[in-house]
Structures are given as structure tokens and as C-alpha cells.
Amino acid sequence: MSTRENLEKVRAAIAAAEAEAARKSGAVRLVAVSKTKPADEITPVIEAGQRVFGENRVQEAQSKWPALMAETADIELHLIGPLQSNKTADAVALFDVIQTVDREKIAREIAREIKKQDKHPRLYVQVNTGSEPQKAGIEPDEASSFLKLCRDELGLMISGLMCIPPVEENPGPHFALLAKIARENDIDTLSMGMSDDFETAIAFGATEVRVGSAIFGTR
Ligand SMILES: *Cc1c(COP(=O)(O)O)cnc(C)c1O
């Protein structure tokens, strides 16, 4: 199947999951994850009308997206991978959304770059819902205090939360936990769900799903 057909299938599955969960049609945005895919595989997806894309590495995004963005005005680019501090300036310059604010040091550097560049990407905090030692993200029981630090001390507008559940676990409880932390902290954007579990995530209140391989094929 072509990426264009895959995209149509994913869109239809999102619409069906919205209906199934009695959510409004269009309540869930699709972030097409184009990491590792070359520009010539991304172009057909843009031509099919997709405008929101996710990349997990700053450098790779810098090499692909400025040219694609010059051709299509209303692309929205999300950083969904861990941010290294030496890449913060580049990330603030390039991305419309940074989904992976995951520690105080990075939050402070983002705040400094936002001032310096007068650029205002939307910011989400990544929560390590499974408390996995190897995974980035704020521990669930520290999320509220971290959000307070970002908002009150650093003046950052945090509009969303994102999580990546442990691969071997039922994702439902992780999605429910992220939704609970969002409710407690007045956050309305929930970035959760990938190719294998986006329908479940929609049932638990996802407002954005990050789908890569179901659109672009295996990496
Ligand atoms: C790669 C990636 C995705 C997309 O994963 P698929 O299983 O290919 O849909 C989503 N979120 C993050 C953070 C990723 O790194």
C-alpha cells in the first residue's frame, strides 16, 4: 500500500475511534511521525493534505524540513524525541511544538532561548508513566511540582503532556494516568498513542496521536 493509502486508513481509524469513544469528530489531531524517512517519502503525505509532522532528532529535522516548509506554508513541526541541551537553540528556532520538556535543565534553557529568540513554540511535558529508568520524562508523582516550576518560576506556557507507555504493558492505565495528571493541572492537550495503540489512547482522551510506521511503513 502507498503511504497515501496508509494515511487514509489511519485517518478513518481515528474517526472511528472518536465515534466509538463518543468524542467530537475532529477532536484528535494526527501527528505523522516522519523520523528516518527521506523528504521524497514525506512529500506525498504533504500532498495528501497532512500538515502536522513529528521528528525525534533535531539535526535530522534541520536537514529535511526547512526545504519542505519553504514549499508548503502551513506545516506544523513537533519535536517528539529527547532534547539535548546543546540543541535547545536549534530546537526553539525550528519546531512549532516541543513535546519533550523532561527536566529542569532543559526547561531553563528553553526559557532562555524563548526570550533570546522571541520565538514561542508550544511546550508539552513528557511524563515517564511507567517510571522506566532508561526512559526520558518526569516521574508521575513529580509532574505537578515540575509543571509549577515551569509555569511559575520560569514563565513557560505548558499546554500539553505526552507519554510513551512501556512496550510490554497494557497502555490503558498509562493513558489514564496521563489524563489524570492533565486534569489536575489544567492541561487540555494529551499527546498519547502510536501506531499500535492510538485507538486505545483516543478512548482514554488523547487529543493528539503520534503515528509513524502505520503511515510510512516499518523503519
Ligand atoms: C517513533 C515514535 C512514534 C511513532 O511510532 P510508530 O510506532 O512508528 O507509530 C511516536 N512517538 C514517539 C515519541 C516516537 O519516537
Side-chain angles (χ1 to χ4, degrees):
M1 254 203 294
S2 70
T3 53
R4 192 185 279 261
E5 288 168 308
N6 289 340
L7 178 67
E8 289 312 317
K9 261 184 77 173
V10 168
R11 282 180 178 158
I14 289 171
E18 286 171 344
E20 174 84 11
R23 309 263 316 268
K24 267 208 212 100
S25 162
V28 179
R29 304 179 81 215
L30 170 61
V31 180
V33 176
S34 49
K35 66 188 186 196
T36 78
K37 298 297 175 182
D40 64 350
E41 290 183 39
I42 299 171
T43 303
V45 177
I46 296 174
E47 283 169 355
Q50 179 66 26
R51 291 293 179 270
V52 186
F53 289 87
E55 290 281 346
N56 69 334
R57 301 174 68 107
V58 176
Q59 222 163 350
E60 181 187 342
Q62 281 179 312
S63 74
K64 293 192 303 202
W65 281 98
L68 291 165
M69 287 165 142
E71 282 169 14
T72 306
D74 51 349
I75 297 287
E76 182 178 296
L77 197 59
H78 292 227
L79 178 65
I80 61 169
L83 181 53
Q84 257 68 62
S85 56
N86 64 346
K87 294 281 191 288
T88 308
D90 291 340
V92 168
L94 178 63
F95 288 92
D96 301 292
V97 181
I98 296 174
Q99 295 206 3
T100 50
V101 181
D102 63 358
R103 57 198 192 277
E104 181 173 340
K105 179 164 189 256
I106 279 295
R108 287 189 185 279
E109 282 168 9
I110 290 172
R112 197 165 53 231
E113 283 304 322
I114 283 175
K115 274 214 188 78
K116 203 163 129 190
Q117 299 184 30
D118 194 21
K119 242 213 119 220
H120 299 270
R122 300 205 299 279
L123 302 173
Y124 306 167
V125 165
Q126 181 175 354
V127 180
N128 187 1
T129 57
S131 298
E132 295 172 279
Q134 81 286 6
K135 196 167 273 175
I138 298 290
E139 289 295 305
D141 61 1
E142 290 165 9
S144 292
S145 60
F146 182 71
L147 285 160
K148 207 165 156 28
L149 169 93
C150 288
R151 288 165 157 174
D152 298 351
E153 195 178 318
L154 305 180
L156 294 174
M157 292 246 297
I158 306 289
S159 57
L161 298 180
M162 81 87 95
C163 73
I164 310 169
V167 279
E168 70 285 0
E169 282 182 35
N170 171 11
H174 296 274
F175 298 149
L177 176 58
L178 197 71
K180 175 172 174 280
I181 296 169
R183 272 195 311 276
E184 291 168 352
N185 290 281
D186 271 324
I187 285 177
D188 50 24
T189 299
L190 280 175
S191 171
M192 54 192 200
M194 321 201 319
S195 291
D196 288 337
D197 57 16
F198 68 86
E199 287 142 311
T200 305
I202 291 169
F204 281 94
T207 64
E208 287 181 3
V209 293
R210 310 178 306 268
V211 179
S213 48
I215 297 170
F216 290 100
T218 49
R219 289 179 292 270

